[in-house]
Amino acid sequence: INSELQQELKNIDEARALCNELSSLVGEEYLKAELTKQLENIVKLYEGLENKTESHTQQLQSTFVSSQQFQQMSKDFQTWLEQRKQELHDSPPISAHLETLQSMISDHKTFYQSMV
């Protein structure tokens, strides 16, 4: 898009040169004023497109950065979840012995607190 805008800027420069050339050939002031007015309208349209392009480019860059941050956070979260899953997987089976069961409850409370 930027290359197209640069090409249009060259076209506007050519239009300015033609406008100046025509103004020197035309004797009537109202025609000169009309040529200048038309050229100014074209320049304003170009500047509007240029501003919109810049704004959209900045917005895209900001969205890209946010997307990368989200992706990294998601990856970190998945790693954390996998670690917690492995910890739960590695825990011993539930015991029928009261002392062992109480110890396991304590371990799970500690595990739960580490997640909160």
Side-chain angles (χ1 to χ4, degrees):
I1 292 177
N2 285 334
S3 62
E4 290 177 19
L5 283 174
Q6 290 301 320
Q7 181 58 44
E8 289 304 319
L9 183 60
K10 290 177 185 177
N11 292 341
I12 288 173
D13 289 340
E14 289 176 16
R16 277 191 181 117
L18 287 172
C19 184
N20 290 335
E21 194 176 315
L22 282 172
S23 291
S24 66
L25 296 174
V26 173
E28 293 84 3
E29 289 301 316
Y30 75 95
L31 290 175
K32 289 180 183 182
E34 184 63 28
L35 282 171
T36 302
K37 181 181 172 184
Q38 292 296 327
L39 181 61
E40 286 174 1
N41 288 338
I42 291 171
V43 170
K44 285 180 185 178
L45 287 172
Y46 171 79
E47 289 171 349
L49 285 173
E50 192 174 43
N51 290 338
K52 283 182 181 179
T53 301
E54 179 65 28
S55 174
H56 287 219
T57 299
Q58 289 173 355
Q59 189 176 22
L60 283 171
Q61 288 171 340
S62 174
T63 302
F64 178 70
V65 168
S66 294
S67 172
Q68 285 181 318
Q69 289 171 343
F70 176 78
Q71 184 179 13
Q72 184 60 46
M73 287 173 55
S74 176
K75 184 178 176 182
D76 293 345
F77 181 65
Q78 283 187 316
T79 301
W80 180 83
L81 280 177
E82 287 297 321
Q83 289 171 347
R84 300 297 84 74
K85 181 180 171 183
Q86 189 61 43
E87 285 177 24
L88 287 174
H89 184 266
D90 292 344
S91 65
I94 296 177
S95 173
H97 294 74
L98 181 60
E99 292 171 4
T100 307
L101 188 56
Q102 287 174 336
S103 174
M104 290 177 73
I105 289 173
S106 177
D107 290 346
H108 276 283
K109 282 182 182 179
T110 304
F111 175 77
Y112 177 75
Q113 290 299 323
S114 74
M115 291 183 6
V116 179

